[in-house]
Amino acid sequence: MAERIAPPPKLSDRDGETIVGYCLRGFHEDERSHQTFCLKVDRNYRAWRGIIERRSEAASWTNKQHPPLVYQAMDTLLAGLLDPSPSWRLRARPRMVSAGEVPNVEQLKAGVRANELLLADQIAADSYGEKQTVFLQQNLIAGLTVAKNIWRKETGPAWNSTVQSEPIHDPASGRIIGFQPRVRQSAQGQETYFDGPSFTPIDVRDFIWHQSAVSLDSAIRVTHRVWKTFTELKELERQGIYKNVDQLIDSQDQQDALKGREQDLYSTNRDRKSTRLNSSHVSESRMPSSA
């Protein structure tokens, strides 16, 4: 039987230190069993890419031709699952009418159509069509896939653009021989770039659930391990969310075996110019209602 974690203490005047300690303690317990799952996922990804294990007998063979048959099979299945133009088809909810009342069918149809147009615009603005490829492909390879549905709001500087005509002078006489348009931009406050629902696929290796949970509803906590650059961390420190960010520069926790998958599959180092916020730093968790 898995070790029982004590219920989270209530927040007090200790500035959140108690609840952070509970999160880290639970994360350490859950990560032990999660490592076994990650090993299986890494093995599936290497089989998908047709990568020969360095310690396998095939690595010593003279013939190095190893076609990625799993890759071809997965891509064939993925093509059948993807919807090139994802859309919504809605139906008006039934409603009770009084005796002799005739429902306004045209008004209901107009409302349904307006909602379909709104959802289609939100899907296009969030690039859902491209994200579903990553989401479904991970499910075929790892046997499990995870995504977050969040409300995302992005703001930034607002720019006012004006077109001005600048004279063109003759180099010999100095006379004006024509005009050319120039675009001038000036910052004017802030504006909203995006404000709507967002769908974000998550690497299953970075999604850690309670070790004794049989479903998401029965898990007393889940942890999403995120990757941040130092620039992002310094900004969060300025906002008062994190502290002692500069200590991460010399931290050895950044060197992690998790970067091996990207190095082998895509020649990408996840740790370059970024820091994984792991159990020794911070984790964002879904806590029980008693928290």
Side-chain angles (χ1 to χ4, degrees), residues 3-4 9 34 59 75 93 96 103 109 120 125 136 147 158 199 240 246:
E3 181 181 352
R4 180 178 177 82
H34 185 71
D75 277 14
R93 298 182 61 182
M96 298 292 294
K109 289 182 178 180
L136 294 175
F199 174 85
D246 292 332

Side-chain angles (χ1 to χ4, degrees), residues 86-143:
S87 60
W88 293 86
R89 298 186 61 183
L90 305 180
R91 178 180 299 177
R93 298 182 61 182
R95 55 184 296 268
M96 298 292 294
V97 295
S98 59
E101 180 184 358
V102 179
N104 191 338
V105 178
E106 294 302 323
Q107 183 181 13
L108 294 176
K109 289 182 178 180
V112 168
R113 181 56 180 166
N115 278 277
E116 288 178 345
L117 293 175
L118 174 62
L119 292 172
D121 180 72
Q122 290 175 339
I123 288 177
D126 191 46
S127 302
Y128 175 79
E130 292 81 357
K131 294 179 180 180
Q132 66 170 341
T133 303
V134 180
F135 180 72
L136 294 175
Q137 188 179 67
Q138 181 175 232
N139 184 47
L140 292 173
I141 299 173

Side-chain angles (χ1 to χ4, degrees), residues 61-82:
W61 294 352
T62 303
N63 188 353
K64 298 298 182 181
Q65 296 181 0
H66 45 282
L69 301 178
V70 180
Y71 180 89
Q72 299 172 7
M74 289 297 181
D75 277 14
T76 303
L77 292 173
L78 184 63
L81 294 175
L82 290 177

Side-chain angles (χ1 to χ4, degrees), residues 44-230:
N44 290 352
Y45 267 98
R46 285 182 170 84
W48 170 63
R49 275 292 185 182
I51 296 177
I52 296 179
E53 297 289 343
R54 297 180 178 87
R55 299 180 180 180
S56 64
E57 295 182 1
S60 60
W61 294 352
T62 303
N63 188 353
K64 298 298 182 181
Q65 296 181 0
H66 45 282
L69 301 178
V70 180
Y71 180 89
Q72 299 172 7
M74 289 297 181
D75 277 14
T76 303
L77 292 173
L78 184 63
L81 294 175
L82 290 177
D83 186 355
S85 301
S87 60
W88 293 86
R89 298 186 61 183
L90 305 180
R91 178 180 299 177
R93 298 182 61 182
R95 55 184 296 268
M96 298 292 294
V97 295
S98 59
E101 180 184 358
V102 179
N104 191 338
V105 178
E106 294 302 323
Q107 183 181 13
L108 294 176
K109 289 182 178 180
V112 168
R113 181 56 180 166
N115 278 277
E116 288 178 345
L117 293 175
L118 174 62
L119 292 172
D121 180 72
Q122 290 175 339
I123 288 177
D126 191 46
S127 302
Y128 175 79
E130 292 81 357
K131 294 179 180 180
Q132 66 170 341
T133 303
V134 180
F135 180 72
L136 294 175
Q137 188 179 67
Q138 181 175 232
N139 184 47
L140 292 173
I141 299 173
L144 176 69
T145 190
V146 182
K148 268 187 176 181
N149 292 320
I150 61 175
W151 191 271
R152 181 165 57 90
K153 184 175 182 180
E154 295 181 357
T155 59
W159 298 91
N160 181 31
S161 300
T162 58
V163 179
Q164 299 177 356
S165 297
E166 293 186 354
I168 302 176
H169 298 273
D170 184 273
S173 62
R175 296 175 54 186
I176 298 177
I177 59 176
F179 294 88
Q180 62 179 354
R182 293 284 188 182
V183 178
R184 304 293 183 183
Q185 291 185 332
S186 58
Q188 291 186 349
Q190 297 283 319
E191 69 175 346
T192 301
Y193 295 157
F194 183 87
D195 188 7
S198 179
F199 174 85
T200 306
I202 297 174
D203 191 335
V204 290
R205 299 173 308 161
D206 293 326
F207 186 78
I208 304 164
W209 54 88
H210 186 240
Q211 56 184 333
S212 63
V214 297
S215 67
L216 191 61
D217 293 333
S218 64
I220 65 174
R221 65 177 170 271
V222 295
T223 302
H224 178 205
R225 181 168 46 201
V226 298
W227 296 70
K228 296 289 186 181
T229 64
F230 278 104

Side-chain angles (χ1 to χ4, degrees), residues 227-239:
W227 296 70
K228 296 289 186 181
T229 64
F230 278 104
T231 302
E232 293 172 320
L233 292 177
K234 292 297 291 184
E235 174 61 23
L236 293 173
E237 184 182 38
R238 187 188 65 80
Q239 299 175 11

